[in-house]
Amino acid sequence: MERPGSLGPPRTDRRGRWAQSPLALMDTTMDQLRTLIMVHEAGTALGAARILGREQSSVQKQIDTMNRNFRELCGEPLILKQGRGKDVLFTGTGEALVELARGTLGDWLDGIHESRRRLGKTLMVGTTRFTLSYLAGAGERVAEDFRQRGIELKVGHVRTRDVLAKLRAKDVDLVCGSVVTRPEGGDELAAFDVMEWRRSGVSLLTNLSEAELPGPTAPTSALRTLPLVISASGLMAGVLHTWFGGDYRGKLRIAAEIDTVNYGFELLRSGLLRGCMLVTKGVADAAGDPRVVYGRGLRAVELVNDTGPRLEVLLGAFTRRGERASYDPAHPLNLLWDALAQENARWQREQRWPTAGLEPDPFELANSYDPSES
């Protein structure tokens, strides 16, 4: 028996508690919860109405209903008006209910998406900017099958630094992009199935003379004294972090910071700055072709590891390890994976760079670093 004055819900079994739920709570709809969240985000009913594409009166009616119901349930409304032109004020109960609403809607959306993913009704794919055209070719191979089966293929931009993180968080089912790894493999890839398209070592592109920087190779320890053109983030920032530690910026001679890799090329070609820029070996080697505009006047120097582990940039497709094997071969994840393998084979057969064409291999540019992708 409950002691008089005891706090908290009645001590009953879960089934009984659900069966005795207050009618005012049971009348609360998902749509009302969404409206509550949007008012909290926008600050006003008008702002929420604009986000939802509805009339302000419709939003206000829902807020009034929830205020009335939760005043009855909890003893205070959720939202208080502050006057014309001012954001509404959420009470303590209102703030608590907004957090509950976010969790409730989020859990439902996640559950629905997970069910669609398991049944093969939705496929979430992430791609970096450089690998989008590659994914598009594979997408064409499965487009008709997906259309006939009602499979929804969703594609989103993923920054290079988030390629594996997006998979870990289950934000995507498959991602195309680049990661920094070791030739022998590393723990960072242990949790993933990897379709390797290309690997490339790390080199320098420089406008320094042979007297200033002899070639054709240089030790990685030489980076401590060379004037470097770097980005604050991106794949090559990850390389420097691995070799010289998190405080690498204080250990190296930074001549310039860049926002895009193309600006780095232009800066070195202009001669306004004398220095070096880290790129993949493929990009550096291609720069030696006189037909390549971005490398004109620049020299490639291959880096030889004497400071830290040998690193490579791996370009490819990634999924969570074992997930494809748990699905039927006709599952859209397996179909798209196979299509990507076919697309890779096609690119390998038709590869022209550097013996033909005037632009660098898109794979190598993808393996290069672009801070806009970081």
Side-chain angles (χ1 to χ4, degrees):
M1 177 179 292
E2 294 289 329
R3 291 185 293 105
S6 62
L7 300 177
R11 293 184 180 177
T12 183
D13 61 74
R14 185 177 298 178
R15 184 186 301 174
R17 189 181 181 194
W18 288 337
Q20 298 168 21
S21 299
L23 183 60
L25 176 61
M26 294 298 97
D27 286 342
T28 302
T29 66
M30 292 284 192
D31 189 36
Q32 288 176 337
L33 295 181
R34 182 181 65 162
T35 297
L36 182 69
I37 295 169
M38 290 300 102
V39 171
H40 191 271
E41 294 286 331
T44 64
L46 177 60
R50 288 171 175 166
I51 295 173
L52 295 170
R54 293 161 60 175
E55 295 293 330
Q56 180 181 358
S57 58
S58 172
V59 170
Q60 190 59 57
K61 182 177 180 180
Q62 286 188 320
I63 294 300
D64 291 342
T65 299
M66 284 188 285
N67 265 347
R68 183 172 58 254
N69 286 344
F70 283 93
R71 185 193 297 273
E72 174 186 333
L73 288 168
C74 304
E76 70 174 346
L78 304 180
I79 299 171
L80 300 175
K81 294 182 179 179
Q82 294 290 91
R84 183 180 294 275
K86 295 183 179 181
D87 287 356
V88 297
L89 175 67
F90 276 73
T91 64
T93 300
E95 292 286 353
L97 264 293
V98 166
E99 289 306 307
L100 284 173
R102 287 192 176 115
T104 298
L105 281 180
D107 288 346
W108 271 88
L109 291 172
D110 289 345
I112 290 170
H113 176 67
E114 188 61 34
S115 293
R116 288 182 60 84
R117 171 186 287 163
R118 178 176 54 81
L119 296 172
K121 295 299 182 181
T122 299
L123 188 64
M124 299 289 294
V125 181
T127 173
T128 59
R129 179 162 62 92
F130 284 117
T131 55
L132 180 58
S133 60
Y134 192 88
L135 176 64
E140 291 178 1
R141 297 175 182 271
V142 298
E144 181 59 24
D145 186 21
F146 280 21
R147 186 190 65 78
Q148 291 182 1
R149 293 169 57 186
I151 297 169
E152 183 180 15
L153 177 62
K154 294 186 176 181
V155 179
H157 176 224
V158 174
R159 298 185 182 278
T160 300
R161 67 184 180 193
D162 296 328
V163 164
L164 300 183
K166 288 288 186 180
L167 279 172
R168 290 191 188 97
K170 294 191 174 182
D171 292 335
V172 294
D173 302 305
L174 181 151
V175 65
C176 303
S178 301
V179 298
V180 176
T181 186
R182 303 185 187 192
E184 66 277 10
D187 293 340
E188 69 276 1
L189 297 180
F192 307 99
D193 288 336
V194 181
M195 182 190 299
E196 182 177 320
W197 297 338
R198 191 73 58 88
R199 281 180 183 261
S200 184
V202 181
S203 293
L204 291 175
L205 270 184
T206 183
N207 59 6
L208 296 176
S209 67
E210 288 273 1
E212 296 170 293
L213 177 59
T217 65
T220 54
S221 57
L223 294 176
R224 296 179 184 274
T225 58
L226 293 172
L228 298 178
V229 175
I230 69 167
S231 156
S233 57
L235 285 175
M236 294 304 162
V239 169
L240 293 175
H241 185 283
T242 301
W243 282 341
F244 299 102
D247 58 343
Y248 68 88
R249 297 171 68 84
K251 299 177 181 178
L252 302 176
R253 183 181 166 193
I254 310 301
E257 296 187 16
I258 57 176
D259 292 327
T260 67
V261 66
N262 289 332
Y263 182 73
F265 293 141
E266 294 169 3
L267 184 62
L268 291 175
R269 288 202 316 269
S270 72
L272 290 173
L273 178 145
R274 305 284 292 173
C276 313
M277 182 170 67
L278 269 72
V279 295
T280 61
K281 186 177 183 299
V283 169
D285 289 346
D289 192 304
R291 296 170 297 177
V292 180
V293 175
Y294 78 81
R296 205 163 284 166
L298 303 181
R299 184 167 56 92
V301 177
E302 184 176 355
L303 288 172
V304 179
N305 290 74
D306 70 343
T307 301
R310 183 184 169 198
L311 298 177
E312 294 179 336
V313 180
L314 185 157
L315 176 72
F318 307 85
T319 63
R320 287 175 289 277
R321 184 172 295 280
E323 194 163 281
R324 291 185 305 106
S326 69
Y327 294 144
D328 185 272
H331 189 281
L333 179 59
N334 284 318
L335 294 179
L336 184 59
W337 185 266
D338 292 342
L340 284 167
Q342 294 174 42
E343 190 68 7
N344 179 44
R346 182 184 73 81
W347 276 79
Q348 297 292 346
R349 288 194 306 270
E350 299 177 3
Q351 180 181 338
R352 298 179 302 165
W353 179 259
T355 57
L358 301 179
E359 294 302 321
D361 184 337
F363 286 111
E364 293 296 356
L365 272 184
N367 274 349
S368 170
Y369 78 98
D370 185 339
S372 68
E373 285 286 279
S374 63

